[in-house]
Amino acid sequence: MAITADQLPADTVQQIREIFNMFDKEKKESIQVTDLGMALRAAGQNPTEQELLDMMNEVDTDGSGTLDFQEFLIFVTRKMSDYVSEEELKAAFQVFDKDGNGYISAIEMRIMMCTMGDKLSDEEMNELLAEAESDMEGNINYDEFVKKIMPAKDENK
């Protein structure tokens, strides 16, 4: 289910506002397409110039060529909806958990990660496996791993 900007908690909106302000260098309450590119690259994405223009046109509702905070908020909310939820990720791991004990082997994890989403290089896969804590037999507790890799939910705000 896609989340909309009006469904975001106030603390999340405030965090998005802080990010927006970082890229609103001229303090004009708007950001340029180049600023959007820097923001996405800082978040680990690598959009082409055409993808940036397409994204900008998609949410630039007033046709100004810049994004005001409300447009940026809509953009970020749409991007957040593109990501896999914690429940969806756990469900994917459960497919490989043949005995239902909450653990999968490193080999099963490699297979799963190769069949989902973006393909990882050997180096990226090794880094990912290094993040996963395994037991004496090399099995990974995927519930703990999912908690570790998913964005933190700050419930104290």
Side-chain angles (χ1 to χ4, degrees):
M1 183 173 122
I3 188 169
T4 60
D6 59 333
Q7 294 172 317
L8 292 174
D11 61 317
T12 302
V13 173
Q14 181 58 37
Q15 290 171 344
I16 295 169
R17 167 56 89 172
E18 290 169 13
I19 293 167
F20 177 83
N21 289 342
M22 281 187 341
F23 291 98
D24 179 19
K25 294 180 188 84
E26 298 175 15
K27 305 298 179 219
K28 292 184 176 181
E29 289 297 311
S30 65
I31 61 173
Q32 305 287 324
V33 69
T34 53
D35 298 325
L36 181 62
M38 285 190 295
L40 289 171
R41 287 181 188 95
Q45 297 185 21
N46 194 22
T48 65
E49 289 303 313
Q50 186 58 51
E51 288 170 330
L52 283 172
L53 289 171
D54 291 345
M55 288 180 219
M56 187 72 128
N57 290 332
E58 184 180 324
V59 292
D60 180 18
T61 55
D62 61 5
S64 66
T66 61
L67 295 184
D68 63 25
F69 178 68
Q70 283 304 108
E71 292 167 332
F72 184 74
L73 185 61
I74 291 167
F75 171 77
V76 170
T77 304
R78 287 181 185 171
K79 282 299 190 188
M80 289 169 65
S81 296
D82 289 345
Y83 291 104
V84 175
S85 72
E86 188 172 326
E87 293 76 27
E88 290 169 320
L89 193 52
K90 284 180 186 177
F93 277 107
Q94 287 171 345
V95 169
F96 291 88
D97 180 12
K98 293 176 181 57
D99 54 5
N101 66 356
Y103 288 83
I104 62 170
S105 71
I107 293 170
E108 290 168 327
M109 182 149 164
R110 280 186 184 275
I111 292 168
M112 188 195 90
M113 297 307 290
C114 287
T115 60
M116 289 183 60
D118 296 335
K119 304 294 183 241
L120 300 176
S121 69
D122 285 340
E123 182 180 325
E124 291 169 323
M125 190 66 208
N126 290 336
E127 287 175 20
L128 189 62
L129 287 171
E131 285 286 317
E133 296 176 23
S134 56
D135 65 11
M136 298 295 283
E137 296 163 4
N139 294 317
I140 298 161
N141 178 320
Y142 58 81
D143 191 49
E144 290 301 315
F145 179 69
V146 168
K147 287 178 188 172
K148 188 179 236 184
I149 65 170
M150 292 300 290
K153 294 178 184 170
D154 191 352
E155 297 169 9
N156 297 326
K157 290 190 177 183

